[in-house]
Amino acid sequence: GLIGFAIAEFAKLRQAKVVNIIGRSNSKKAMSNQVDGVEFVLLDQIKDSYDIIFEAVGTNDSINKAIEISEPGASIVFVGNPAGDIHFSQDTYWKILRSQLKLYGTWNSKFNETYENDWYEVKNMILEKKFNPEVFITHIFNQDSFLTALDIMKNKKEPYCKIMIEWGDEAK
């Protein structure tokens, strides 16, 4: 989703040498092309291991896969909201210990009243045209089609990244 794509975009902006977006299906492969210098890899075709992983899905399978594909000493940042309880097999737990993995969690962003906060940084990146979030908007509906938009998201009727609803008299 948008969080994973934005993380990839910011990693490239921070001069990361190799950035992969790992997907469960090809449905979001075309969307990954919006991020220059990023390679899309299907989950079941991963051949590499990684030293920094951002897990942005939050399912038991994706969290365990992040641990599985990590290099010794890797850092894993958990961003995805958990879809339920998370369970580790004994082998997965041993990998955390024996590979001395560093596990981090993050929630939303930091905000304070000063000019140095996450929102300020992102706003400036957008204004400076270093980051264009509009490329991740896959659908725009007017307020009369609100239920259609919800149906696409709830029932995953088609691939999407970010769905926008236009409200009010100015809506198209």
Side-chain angles (χ1 to χ4, degrees):
L2 179 62
I3 300 292
F5 290 119
I7 289 170
E9 181 80 28
F10 287 112
K12 291 305 294 181
L13 288 169
R14 297 279 195 274
Q15 310 302 315
K17 292 180 180 117
V18 176
V19 177
N20 294 137
I21 292 176
I22 299 171
R24 295 173 279 189
S25 71
N26 276 318
S27 67
K28 299 222 175 149
K29 183 175 184 175
M31 184 65 53
S32 70
N33 294 333
Q34 300 295 327
V35 184
D36 289 335
V38 170
E39 182 182 349
F40 183 87
V41 180
L42 283 170
L43 184 64
D44 60 355
Q45 295 177 358
I46 298 171
K47 294 180 177 45
D48 297 321
S49 58
Y50 301 92
D51 61 342
I52 300 174
I53 300 169
F54 287 85
E55 191 291 316
V57 178
T59 65
N60 202 54
D61 288 343
S62 63
I63 290 169
N64 278 279
K65 189 66 169 183
I67 293 166
E68 178 187 323
I69 63 174
S70 61
E71 294 179 354
S75 295
I76 302 173
V77 182
F78 297 110
V79 180
N81 290 326
D85 291 340
I86 305 303
H87 302 279
F88 297 134
S89 68
Q90 186 178 34
D91 287 341
T92 300
Y93 186 74
W94 279 343
K95 171 138 189 190
I96 295 169
L97 297 179
R98 292 181 177 157
S99 294
Q100 299 181 1
L101 302 180
K102 296 176 267 321
L103 309 178
Y104 300 94
T106 186
W107 183 256
N108 286 330
S109 60
K110 65 179 180 190
F111 177 79
N112 56 42
E113 295 299 322
T114 69
Y115 62 90
E116 294 182 19
N117 62 62
D118 296 345
W119 294 100
Y120 179 83
E121 181 180 2
V122 171
K123 180 187 94 173
N124 283 338
M125 292 174 95
I126 292 169
L127 291 173
E128 295 166 9
K129 308 232 185 279
K130 293 180 181 175
F131 177 67
N132 180 12
E134 291 179 13
V135 300
F136 300 112
I137 298 171
T138 54
H139 298 72
I140 299 176
F141 292 97
N142 66 29
Q143 62 196 29
D144 297 331
S145 300
F146 179 70
L147 293 177
T148 301
L150 290 178
D151 188 47
I152 290 171
M153 291 185 287
K154 179 182 178 188
N155 296 309
K156 302 191 184 336
K157 290 197 167 183
E158 55 190 85
Y160 70 92
C161 186
K162 194 48 77 178
I163 296 177
M164 303 296 289
I165 307 293
E166 294 179 327
W167 295 94
D169 294 337
E170 293 86 34
K172 296 177 191 171

